[in-house]
Amino acid sequence: MVRKIEHIGIAVRDLEAANELYESLLGVKPYKEEAVESEGVVTSFFLTGESKVELLEATTADSPIAKFIEKRGEGIHHIAFEVEDIYEEIKRLKAAGFRILNEEPKKGADNKLVCFVHPKSANGVLVELCQEAVSS
Ligand code: ZN
């Protein structure tokens, strides 16, 4: 079951500059910055009510964010939905014919288990499913 839009991911060229811009746009400071080495990105998060805005800057040339910006420029990169049980959702979406990019959920930013649905399966939108990771 989907609970809410957890965050919207925005690809940016320069995280420091984008942080300043979004701080004046939203009137709040980012509450955290975090590098996700496996994805080749550094991220920052802004709380906007019950959802968040995630800014992503590439740290390597072959990062998915670098490739995205090269092709399409800066802008909305993905929409993340919080789900109750990510394993169940992956099973359900696979059975419904969606193309899942990683069938085994991986650790994303902000202490989340994440999985991505291919944009070709979702009207051109990269969809992220996420679930709060249980800290052991
Ligand atoms: Zn995300």
Side-chain angles (χ1 to χ4, degrees):
M1 200 185 80
V2 173
R3 284 182 167 154
K4 64 177 183 187
I5 292 178
E6 213 282 333
H7 63 269
I8 293 177
I10 299 173
V12 304
R13 287 182 207 279
D14 177 343
L15 192 65
E16 289 317 308
N19 276 343
E20 274 180 37
L21 190 145
Y22 273 83
E23 186 179 329
S24 49
L25 182 71
L26 300 170
V28 289
K29 285 182 185 300
Y31 69 90
K32 76 150 95 174
E33 268 194 43
E34 187 181 347
V36 185
E37 265 166 47
S38 58
E39 299 288 317
V41 294
V42 57
T43 65
S44 67
F45 285 88
F46 293 79
L47 204 54
T48 52
E50 64 169 12
S51 301
K52 299 162 187 163
V53 169
E54 173 186 30
L55 303 180
L56 305 107
E57 180 195 325
T59 53
T60 61
D62 62 348
S63 151
I65 294 301
K67 289 179 186 156
F68 178 89
I69 288 180
E70 204 174 287
K71 254 196 257 172
R72 299 168 63 171
E74 293 182 301
I76 294 182
H77 177 258
H78 64 273
I79 295 183
F81 295 101
E82 182 181 283
V83 297
E84 211 164 272
D85 182 338
I86 196 166
Y87 294 93
E88 271 306 308
E89 289 301 317
I90 291 171
K91 234 193 281 175
R92 187 178 68 79
L93 293 178
K94 260 184 76 179
F98 286 90
R99 189 164 147 205
I100 309 293
L101 287 171
N102 57 298
E103 292 186 12
E104 189 58 36
K106 55 186 176 183
K107 251 199 122 214
D110 205 25
N111 192 39
K112 296 278 195 296
L113 279 174
V114 302
C115 136
F116 290 93
V117 177
H118 198 287
K120 285 204 169 119
S121 288
N123 298 93
V125 175
L126 176 63
V127 171
E128 174 184 333
L129 303 179
C130 64
Q131 182 186 347
E132 197 77 31
V134 183
S135 43
S136 49

